[in-house]
Amino acid sequence: MRPADEDSFVAFVEASSPRLLRLAWLTCGDPHLAQELLQETYERVYVKWGKASVANPTAYTRRVLMNLTTDRWRRRRKETLSIDGTLPEVAGADEHGRAEDRDLLMRLLRALPPRERQIVVLRHYDDLSEREVADALGISLGTVKSSTSRGLATMRAALTQMQEA
């Protein structure tokens, strides 16, 4: 890789890491696995940086991250999540809200199947349009719409059940 490309890749990693790490964490539910997935994502993007940097590097990297997350689920065939609700090491509230809200969000996301969780996170956390989510995951627009609807309904029902208890 040329030095100029190397510099642009380093700048991209520094700028995109916080958001992509949070995206990885929200989709997989494990802060340590999220870090591993993001590192592997950056390794793959580095190799293809010439191609990725010409188009939309954030979209390309997000797609690689989502594909790696899906591959990991398929390999394990069974999801294992943290039962104790551990969160990434953060003290108190940050720019994303109170710690209690983050904990509740993670519990609600854990109730979703992996694909629905990916779609809800990309759609509502990463603020992608339905078309962008479909493109990022390589699925149809109808799948995005129905999975978003099912995922949000599941989360609403779980939240209602928690509030009634």
Side-chain angles (χ1 to χ4, degrees):
M1 183 181 288
R2 296 178 320 186
D5 288 342
E6 185 95 25
D7 292 341
S8 69
F9 179 75
V10 169
F12 170 74
V13 169
E14 289 172 352
S16 66
S17 288
R19 184 161 186 88
L20 290 175
L21 180 59
R22 191 167 231 2
L23 179 65
W25 173 57
L26 287 170
T27 56
C28 76
D30 179 341
H32 303 290
L33 178 58
Q35 289 176 348
E36 289 176 21
L37 286 167
L38 187 58
Q39 288 174 359
E40 190 173 344
T41 297
Y42 282 136
E43 288 173 14
R44 291 183 181 198
V45 170
Y46 178 82
V47 173
K48 302 281 187 179
W49 185 244
K51 173 184 174 185
S53 65
V54 172
N56 182 344
T58 303
Y60 182 84
T61 305
R62 186 185 310 112
R63 174 106 190 224
V64 170
L65 177 62
M66 291 298 104
N67 287 344
L68 284 173
T69 304
T70 301
D71 291 347
R72 185 124 353 178
W73 290 331
R74 286 180 180 155
R75 267 185 265 141
R76 290 189 323 199
R77 286 285 192 220
K78 187 169 127 180
E79 185 175 5
T80 56
L81 296 172
S82 171
I83 295 174
D84 64 356
T86 53
L87 297 170
E89 297 169 7
V90 260
D94 64 6
E95 72 276 5
H96 298 290
R98 296 185 345 235
E100 298 84 22
D101 293 341
R102 285 191 315 271
D103 182 44
L104 176 61
L105 175 62
M106 286 309 299
R107 282 188 279 143
L108 293 172
L109 286 171
R110 284 186 188 114
L112 301 179
R115 178 59 83 182
E116 281 181 17
R117 184 183 319 141
Q118 276 185 326
I119 291 169
V120 168
V121 168
L122 287 172
R123 183 81 178 93
H124 295 283
Y125 172 75
D126 218 23
D127 202 26
L128 298 181
S129 70
E130 291 169 338
R131 170 58 42 210
E132 290 170 323
V133 173
D135 292 342
L137 298 176
I139 58 178
S140 73
L141 189 59
T143 300
V144 171
K145 290 177 180 183
S146 62
S147 294
T148 301
S149 177
R150 272 194 313 274
L152 292 176
T154 300
M155 291 174 73
R156 276 189 211 102
L159 183 59
T160 302
Q161 189 176 22
M162 285 178 194
Q163 289 172 341
E164 290 173 355

